[in-house]
Amino acid sequence: MKKDQFKWASAGLALSSLLVVSACGNDSSNNASAEEATTWLEQANLEANESPEELYELAKEEGKVVVYSQSSRIKDVKASFEKEYPGIQVDAFDLGTIEIVEKVAREQEAGLNTADVVFVKDGGGVVSGELLSEGMLHKYAPDDLVASLDDSFLDEPGLPFYFSTRAIFVNNEVYDDSTITNWWDLTDEEWKSKIVMDDPLLSSDTLDLFTTIVQNADDMEEAYKQKFGEEIELDGTDNAGYEFIKQLLANDPVFVSSGDDVVEAVGTPGQEKPPVGITTSSKSRHIEEQGYMAEFLYDVEPKMSVAGTSYLYMANNAEHTAAAKLLIRWMAGEADGQGEGFRPYNVPGSWSTRTDVSVDGQRSSDELTLWPYDGEFLYDNSNDVRNFILGNQ
């Protein structure tokens, strides 16, 4: 690729160093690659609106489809898709967001067209800022899938089909939703060493939350005044967003590598003074079956959080184009949103991007108070926030 470097680090160092990806080949080979990509795009015809029946006939000739997925729930999609469309094998790879970005980039640079479908979040704007801008991924969004999208998701880099968010969890056996009503509550002495959260140096979603808080420093300044009744005084920081992060880190939060660990620490029954937690809202889907006493909070000032939207993409030069289109349709729930492929993602703590699909017992997406996701800002500023966290631990 032509960009000099990724904004994320290699998997072994997580977010602590930059991965340098050098462009390879001479001008003539680059021109040949561009011509090849143009030819593939013409053949793939991603603007077409084929029916599932038409795609299945073509996909049977291809025989398989390869998907890189950020979610382990892809195994459920594999099972339902292969049952619905016999004769098409799904090779599913469950990978982290950082792994997906690196794997796609390395393979495409090497001319290996392994992936057909890529299921991933934007991850600090890196996917849209680098993989899409370099033509490694493409949007496939047939009209009948787009027709029911909420207006706020119409101008997106890939096909958005659901979102979750980083949320504050409390133990509802001990606390209620009035325990934490403001993000600044987490800086109070009573929560010192009693906040459990995904490590922002390992979790791109948590880093996205902190970077969005920095972006919306004016909101954080107002929330501070609302809680403490006075204007904020910055202690060597640039704005109220950075000041919040500094004070939160000074409260000695416990960083863990898994959202499951957060929910377990918060929700284990029988605790006298359980910790509170910050992790993905989608973890609430397992709470009841695991016997935990935990719930995430909606009403937190100045905003609940920021949406982390999941996207479906077609990989450049995908070898199983018809099967890839069919799988994307399947995962998105087909035209009516009720398809079995979307069922693993239509769960508590997640919200469909469609206006006609919802989860019983939780607020609808238009009732959530969320900061807008700004991939360009995240892409330009996430490293600064990461370095700030490193400097204040």
Side-chain angles (χ1 to χ4, degrees):
M1 59 192 293
K2 295 179 182 178
K3 285 191 178 288
D4 293 328
Q5 56 190 208
F6 273 124
K7 298 242 173 175
W8 285 1
S10 59
L13 296 179
L15 293 166
S16 62
S17 64
L18 295 179
L19 169 66
V20 177
V21 182
S22 59
C24 57
N26 54 31
D27 289 341
S28 61
S29 64
N30 287 337
N31 290 337
S33 298
E35 292 175 3
E36 180 181 342
T38 300
T39 301
W40 177 83
L41 278 172
E42 291 174 349
Q43 294 173 343
N45 195 12
L46 300 183
E47 302 300 321
N49 288 289
E50 303 104 326
S51 68
E53 294 75 20
E54 292 170 324
L55 290 172
Y56 182 37
E57 290 304 311
L58 296 171
K60 283 190 289 187
E61 298 177 10
E62 297 171 343
K64 65 181 282 188
V65 58
V66 179
V67 55
Y68 292 171
S69 166
Q70 66 177 17
S71 168
S72 61
R73 285 173 277 174
I74 193 66
K75 65 181 183 298
D76 299 320
V77 174
K78 170 182 169 67
S80 64
F81 182 87
E82 290 178 346
K83 181 179 180 181
E84 181 73 12
Y85 297 111
I88 307 174
Q89 176 181 322
V90 178
D91 290 349
F93 295 83
D94 176 15
L95 305 166
T97 304
I98 296 171
E99 293 177 281
I100 290 174
V101 171
E102 293 180 358
K103 189 171 176 62
V104 169
R106 291 182 186 278
E107 289 177 349
Q108 297 255 339
E109 282 293 329
L112 301 175
N113 304 316
T114 306
D116 299 307
V117 175
V118 175
F119 161 31
V120 70
K121 293 181 181 178
D122 198 29
V126 172
V127 173
S128 57
E130 297 190 2
L131 296 188
L132 266 83
S133 66
E134 293 293 334
M136 295 184 178
L137 299 177
H138 301 282
K139 183 176 183 178
Y140 171 64
D143 291 345
D144 59 351
L145 296 187
V146 174
S148 296
L149 283 183
D150 184 276
D151 288 347
S152 62
F153 292 102
L154 291 176
D155 186 22
E156 295 284 348
L159 178 64
F161 71 121
Y162 81 97
F163 71 88
S164 57
T165 185
R166 295 280 132 170
I168 299 174
F169 279 77
V170 298
N171 184 306
N172 56 14
E173 186 178 37
V174 178
Y175 309 123
D176 58 30
D177 57 9
S178 66
T179 301
I180 303 288
T181 59
N182 190 312
W183 279 95
W184 287 100
D185 290 344
L186 298 178
T187 67
D188 289 344
E189 178 69 22
E190 69 172 302
W191 300 115
K192 190 171 183 65
S193 303
K194 297 194 73 67
I195 302 166
V196 184
M197 60 185 298
D198 298 283
D199 189 338
L201 302 182
L202 299 176
S203 166
S204 59
D205 285 341
T206 305
L207 185 63
D208 282 356
L209 169 61
F210 283 162
T211 307
T212 300
I213 284 174
V214 167
Q215 181 183 16
N216 292 277
D218 289 348
D219 286 347
M220 294 302 293
E221 184 174 344
E222 182 60 31
Y224 182 94
K225 184 177 181 180
Q226 181 176 336
K227 173 178 171 59
F228 295 106
E230 59 186 20
E231 301 291 342
I232 190 171
E233 293 186 11
L234 303 180
D235 183 16
T237 58
D238 290 341
N239 61 45
Y242 276 116
E243 185 66 27
F244 168 77
I245 296 171
K246 182 176 181 177
Q247 292 190 28
L248 178 67
L249 295 174
N251 227 14
D252 195 27
V254 178
F255 288 167
V256 296
S257 59
S258 168
D260 292 326
D261 295 336
V262 176
V263 173
E264 180 180 4
V266 171
T268 297
Q271 299 184 74
E272 183 176 342
K273 179 69 174 178
V276 296
I278 302 173
T279 192
T280 177
S281 56
S282 64
K283 288 299 179 183
S284 64
R285 71 187 188 274
H286 294 314
I287 285 176
E288 184 174 349
E289 65 188 58
Q290 293 173 334
Y292 294 139
M293 305 297 295
E295 64 183 7
F296 62 84
L297 302 178
Y298 290 102
D299 300 313
V300 183
E301 294 295 335
K303 300 288 185 182
M304 175 186 177
S305 191
V306 60
T309 305
S310 295
Y311 298 92
L312 293 165
Y313 298 98
M314 180 88 73
N316 191 51
N317 286 321
E319 294 182 353
H320 310 100
T321 308
K325 290 180 177 181
L326 195 61
L327 180 62
I328 288 174
R329 294 185 61 92
W330 185 249
M331 293 181 69
E334 278 298 347
D336 62 0
Q338 302 302 312
E340 186 68 26
F342 183 59
R343 194 174 304 278
Y345 309 105
N346 192 33
V347 295
S350 296
W351 290 266
S352 171
T353 57
R354 301 172 60 108
T355 59
D356 55 353
V357 176
S358 61
V359 175
D360 291 339
Q362 72 178 19
R363 296 186 188 180
S364 62
S365 59
D366 59 2
E367 295 178 286
L368 306 180
T369 59
L370 299 173
W371 284 299
Y373 179 92
D374 187 338
E376 184 175 353
F377 183 90
L378 295 174
Y379 184 73
D380 290 338
N381 293 276
S382 290
N383 276 332
D384 291 339
V385 175
R386 173 183 60 83
N387 290 333
F388 182 84
I389 293 170
L390 283 169
N392 284 273
Q393 284 186 310

